[in-house]
Amino acid sequence: MSESILTNRNGVLIYQETWTPTIEKSDDSKTLPTYETMQVNGLYSRIGRICYVSCWFYIKVTAAGTSDICIGSLPYISKNDSSDKYQVLSTGSLDATVHTRYGSALLFDNTNKVIIYKHNRNQPQTYTTNSETEISFSGCYLINSSYS
């Protein structure tokens, strides 16, 4: 990862760069969907231990697999703090076939991947077969203290 210093004001460094999000399994017992990537974009900014990320996927799913929707390769590993188990990022996603809105993205401690959850439901979102799907999210998260 190559960071660019966007600005240095009063000794505060602000880094900004693109990143390439990936689709990953939500856990090892699950299988990935079969899909064709139409377009993928990611951008992040970092000030100290706070990282703002945004990403956008446009994929065509041909076989759903068993995994929940999970986006990986975030630019930094999240904080490792026993006081909280996860951080929440907002999502704004739409499945072009069934018009499903996703609600939140949970980023668990000491990882660099998020699991997308359903809007107004406390359960992970799964893939829809034979659909063109947009997946997007953005938000800030606290990164591991080894990055200062």
Side-chain angles (χ1 to χ4, degrees), residues 24-71:
E24 296 186 7
K25 293 189 282 187
S26 52
D27 67 55
D28 289 336
S29 67
K30 307 284 184 169
T31 59
L32 285 172
T34 303
Y35 63 92
E36 175 186 349
T37 302
M38 311 299 268
Q39 189 170 359
V40 60
N41 296 303
L43 180 67
Y44 78 91
S45 298
R46 179 175 73 91
I47 302 171
R49 289 185 57 209
I50 298 174
C51 185
Y52 170 81
V53 292
S54 63
C55 86
W56 182 77
F57 270 96
Y58 184 59
I59 62 175
K60 184 173 184 175
V61 178
T62 55
T66 61
S67 180
D68 304 321
I69 295 178
C70 183
I71 307 301

Side-chain angles (χ1 to χ4, degrees), residues 80-97:
N80 188 10
D81 182 348
S82 60
S83 64
D84 295 313
K85 294 183 179 177
Y86 60 86
Q87 301 175 62
V88 179
L89 306 170
S90 64
T91 62
S93 301
L94 179 68
D95 181 310
T97 302

